[in-house]
Every structure is written in C-alpha cells, then in structure tokens.
Amino acid sequence: MRILVALDQSPFAATVLEKAITLAGKEGAAVTIMTVAEDFLDIGDYTDVVSVSEKLFAAARVAAEDYAAKAKAAGLDVEVVVEQGVAPADLILNQAESKRFDMIVMGHQGKKGLSRYLIGSVASRVVAHAPCSVLVIR
C-alpha cells in the first residue's frame, strides 16, 4: 500500500501526521509526505514575489523534512515531495494520479459559514476528485 500524506504547516498537521503514521504502520505502507508552498500571482511592484515565493518554498521544505524524520523514526519508508502553487488541491490530486497512490491522508480546513462556500476547502476538492480513497482527519 502507498499512502500520500498531504500536510500544511499548521499546528494541526502534527495530529494528521500521527494518524497517518499509525495507519501506515498497521498496513505496512510506504509513505510520501507532501507539502505545498504558497505561490503568489503577480502583485506588481509592491513586493519581490520571487523572493517571497522562495522563502515560502524553503519553509515548506523544512516542514516536510521534519515530518518525514518523525515518520522515519517510527520505522516507515518515507519519501518527501514539496510543490509550489496557488491551488494545493490540484497539486495533491496530480500527485495522487501520477504516482498511483492507494490512499490520501490529510486534515480538514474547518472553515465555517460563508467563507467555506465562497473559497471552498482543499480537503473537499480532494475528496470530490481523488482517484483513490481519502482519509480526512478532523
């Protein structure tokens, strides 16, 4: 079994990782830890977009490596993938399709009210379009 664990850099990611490690250990699964660094559309002369994007990518890489170290310490076979873009759900879905994962494990954004309907949720989009099972941790 191959599990894609999609993690952000929020405090809740530790809970998602813990659940994924437990599941992977029980299943004898190989794990790929994926983080997505934010990327900015062109915002003109107000900031150095390249510099900001590079810093966000570096921070996502550090977080992913830290998550991977925890999974390796639990005895799992782990790979790390760090992508950058404005649509995390699409990047997660592309990874799941191209690498033929058996399952995606991810957290739930938990947006409330109108913002959930206007913006949507990464987890909702992944669940709706994934080529495999998705475990959403709340």
Side-chain angles (χ1 to χ4, degrees):
M1 176 177 230
R2 298 182 67 233
I3 300 174
L4 176 63
V5 184
L7 299 169
D8 59 16
Q9 296 175 53
S10 71
F12 187 64
T15 301
V16 175
L17 179 61
E18 182 181 308
K19 301 280 187 188
I21 288 171
T22 300
L23 175 64
K26 288 180 182 176
E27 296 292 326
V31 172
T32 297
I33 304 287
M34 179 177 187
T35 60
V36 176
E38 289 183 73
D39 197 8
F40 292 99
L41 298 174
D42 184 14
I43 55 175
D45 297 329
Y46 297 107
T47 188
D48 179 6
V49 175
V50 173
S51 176
V52 171
S53 292
E54 287 173 354
K55 288 177 185 175
L56 291 171
F57 186 84
R61 166 71 62 197
V62 168
E65 293 295 344
D66 183 49
Y67 299 144
K70 290 175 182 164
K72 287 176 184 175
L76 299 178
D77 178 23
V78 182
E79 180 182 340
V80 173
V81 172
V82 180
E83 298 272 346
Q84 189 157 29
V86 294
D90 291 340
L91 295 170
I92 293 165
L93 291 167
N94 288 341
Q95 187 72 22
E97 278 185 34
S98 67
K99 300 293 174 105
R100 305 183 91 140
F101 283 95
D102 299 299
M103 178 178 281
I104 300 168
V105 177
M106 64 188 308
H108 184 269
Q109 182 68 22
K111 287 185 179 174
K112 304 277 190 232
L114 186 60
S115 66
R116 178 178 180 168
Y117 298 103
L118 293 176
I119 299 169
S121 146
V122 172
S124 294
R125 181 158 170 74
V126 170
V127 167
H129 300 285
C132 58
S133 297
V134 180
L135 175 61
V136 179
I137 307 299
R138 290 186 141 231

